[in-house]
C-alpha cells in the first residue's frame, strides 16, 4: 500500500513517541548522566536496530522513503512494541492492507444485522463502526448511556459522548482509564484508514472540545478492540460492574457488536 504525506508524518511521530519512552537500560545501554530529552537518542536506536542513523532520521522526519519488513521488525524489537503497536507501525509504513479506500462510503448495516441488539434486550448491546458511530442499539444501551442517542441529524457516537457529554463522567466510574483506552483504539482504527476524512473530522472535533484529547492524542497510544470489564453508574442500582464482549462482523471487521452483562456477584454498589 503506497504512503501519503500524512501517513509518513504519522509514522515519524509514532516512532519518535515510542523512542522517547524507552529508557537506555531497558535495551542494555548504560545510563550516562542527565539527558536533555527522555528515552533513546536517534543514533542509539539506529545502532541497536542495525540501520543507518541518517536513514532513520529521514524516516522519523516523514521523508518519502519506504522501510522494509526486516527494518520494521528490527525497529519493533528495539522499541519493545507490543503486538498492537507492531501492527500499527506496519500500517503506517504501508506494509499492511487498509480496510477501505479514501472515497468508499461506509457500509450500511443489513436489516437482519441491525436487529441483533434488539434481540439481545434486556442486555445492553450496540453495533459501532470504526469511527465509533453507533449504527444500531437497543433500549437497554440507551438507558445505560444517557443522551447517547439524542443528537439530532447525526448518528450517535460513543467517542463524542465519552469526551464531550458531561454525563459520561458521571456514568463511567473509571472515566480517565476508559477514555484513554477508547482514544488509543480510535488511533489504531484511524491508522487503518489514513485517507478517510471521517476520522480526521471526528478527531478534530474531539480535540476542539476536550482538553484531555488535546493532551493524550500526541502520545500515540494504540490498542485493539477487545472485551473487558467496566464499572458504570446508573440511576437505579448505583454502581454496577459489567463484563462486556466485542464481536467483529465477518463482512465488516471494523464493525463491532458489543454486549454488556451485569456481574451477578455485584451488590449494586460496585463491590464484587
Amino acid at each position: 500500500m503506497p504512503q501519503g504525506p500524512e501517513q509518513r508524518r504519522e509514522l515519524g511521530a509514532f516512532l519518535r513517541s515510542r523512542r522517547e519512552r524507552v529508557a537506555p537500560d531497558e535495551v542494555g545501554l548504560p545510563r550516562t548522566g542527565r539527558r536533555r530529552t527522555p528515552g533513546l537518542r536517534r543514533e542509539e536506536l539506529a545502532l541497536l536496530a542495525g540501520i543507518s542513523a541518517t536513514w532513520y532520521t529521514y524516516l522519523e522526519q516523514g521523508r518519502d522513503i519506504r522501510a522494509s519488513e526486516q527494518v520494521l521488525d528490527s525497529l519493533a524489537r528495539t522499541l519493545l512494541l507490543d503486538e498492537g503497536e507492531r501492527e500499527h507501525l506496519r500500517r503506517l509504513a504501508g506494509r499492511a492492507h487498509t480496510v477501505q479506500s479514501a472515497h468508499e462510503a461506509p457500509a450500511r448495516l443489513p436489516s437482519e444485522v441491525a436487529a441483533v441488539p434488539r434481540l439481545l434486550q434486556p442486555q445492553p448491546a450496540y453495533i459501532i463502526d470504526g469511527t465509533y458511530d453507533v449504527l444500531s442499539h437497543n433500549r437497554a444501551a440507551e438507558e445505560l448511556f444517557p443522551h447517547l442517542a439524542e443528537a439530532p441529524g447525526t448518528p450517535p457516537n460513543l467517542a463524542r459522548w465519552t469526551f464531550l457529554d458531561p454525563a459520561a463522567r458521571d456514568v463511567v466510574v473509571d472515566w480517565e482509564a476508559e477514555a484513554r483506552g477508547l482514544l488509543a483504539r480510535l488511533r489504531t482504527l484511524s491508522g487503518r484508514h489514513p485517507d478517510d476524512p471521517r476520522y480526521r473530522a471526528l478527531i478534530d472535533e474531539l480535540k476542539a472540545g476536550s482538553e484531555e484529547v488535546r493532551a493524550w492524542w500526541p502520545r500515540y497510544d494504540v490498542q485493539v478492540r477487545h472485551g473487558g470489564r467496566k464499572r458504570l453508574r446508573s440511576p437505579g442500582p448505583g454502581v454496577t460492574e459489567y463484563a462486556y464482549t466485542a464481536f467483529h462482523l465477518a463482512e465488516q471487521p471494523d464493525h463491532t457488536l458489543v454486549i454488556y452483562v451485569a456481574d451477578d456477584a455485584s451488590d449494586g454498589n460496585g463491590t464484587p
Side-chain angles (χ1 to χ4, degrees):
M1 181 193 71
Q3 290 175 284
E6 179 62 27
Q7 198 170 354
R8 291 195 296 270
R9 285 192 292 271
E10 285 285 311
L11 173 61
F14 179 68
L15 287 170
R16 182 169 60 254
S17 73
R18 290 307 180 269
R19 174 172 60 82
E20 291 174 350
R21 295 187 188 188
V22 179
D25 55 1
E26 289 184 282
V27 290
L29 294 178
R31 290 188 177 272
T32 55
R34 170 170 285 182
R35 294 183 171 222
R36 289 182 298 176
T37 56
L40 297 174
R41 300 185 179 98
R42 286 174 175 170
E43 296 79 6
E44 293 170 333
L45 174 56
L47 177 64
L48 291 167
I51 60 179
S52 159
T54 300
W55 190 89
Y56 173 76
T57 299
Y58 289 164
L59 192 65
E60 203 171 278
Q61 289 174 344
R63 299 208 190 181
D64 190 5
I65 56 177
R66 190 164 171 82
S68 68
E69 298 274 2
Q70 182 179 1
V71 166
L72 293 175
D73 287 344
S74 183
L75 286 171
R77 285 194 301 271
T78 306
L79 291 170
L80 310 178
L81 301 187
D82 62 26
E83 199 58 42
E85 292 170 324
R86 285 171 179 259
E87 177 63 18
H88 191 67
L89 175 65
R90 286 171 52 81
R91 290 189 180 278
L92 292 179
R95 294 291 179 179
H97 174 65
T98 52
V99 177
Q100 65 184 31
S101 68
H103 303 293
E104 183 181 346
R108 296 175 62 88
L109 281 183
S111 58
E112 64 272 18
V113 177
V116 170
R118 295 191 293 275
L119 297 174
L120 293 168
Q121 182 76 19
Q123 306 303 334
Y126 52 77
I127 297 174
I128 51 177
D129 69 4
T131 62
Y132 280 89
D133 276 354
V134 181
L135 307 179
S136 177
H137 67 282
N138 62 11
R139 182 166 45 82
E142 199 166 323
E143 292 172 353
L144 192 59
F145 302 101
H147 310 159
L148 177 62
E150 291 181 3
T154 59
N157 184 280
L158 196 61
R160 188 180 294 118
W161 179 83
T162 297
F163 286 103
L164 304 184
D165 192 322
R169 297 172 191 254
D170 293 329
V171 172
V172 183
V173 176
D174 306 299
W175 182 86
E176 180 172 337
E178 297 293 344
R180 281 180 178 270
L182 188 154
L183 195 64
R185 293 188 289 277
L186 181 59
R187 164 75 74 178
T188 302
L189 289 159
S190 68
R192 297 178 185 174
H193 306 266
D195 300 317
D196 190 329
R198 297 182 307 143
Y199 287 90
R200 176 51 53 196
L202 175 61
I203 293 160
D204 287 346
E205 180 183 358
L206 296 179
K207 284 180 178 178
S210 169
E211 61 180 303
E212 289 88 358
V213 175
R214 292 192 294 272
W216 298 342
W217 190 255
R219 290 178 53 83
Y220 286 83
D221 293 327
V222 294
Q223 189 181 105
V224 296
R225 282 180 175 171
H226 52 74
R229 305 188 74 81
K230 187 180 297 186
R231 294 192 300 157
L232 300 172
R233 183 179 291 108
S234 54
V239 175
T240 302
E241 184 167 324
Y242 288 85
Y244 63 94
T245 307
F247 300 93
H248 302 291
L249 304 192
E251 293 80 7
Q252 292 290 333
D254 279 354
H255 288 183
T256 306
L257 168 66
V258 184
I259 306 168
Y260 286 77
V261 178
D263 189 346
D264 291 336
S266 174
D267 65 4
N269 295 308
T271 304

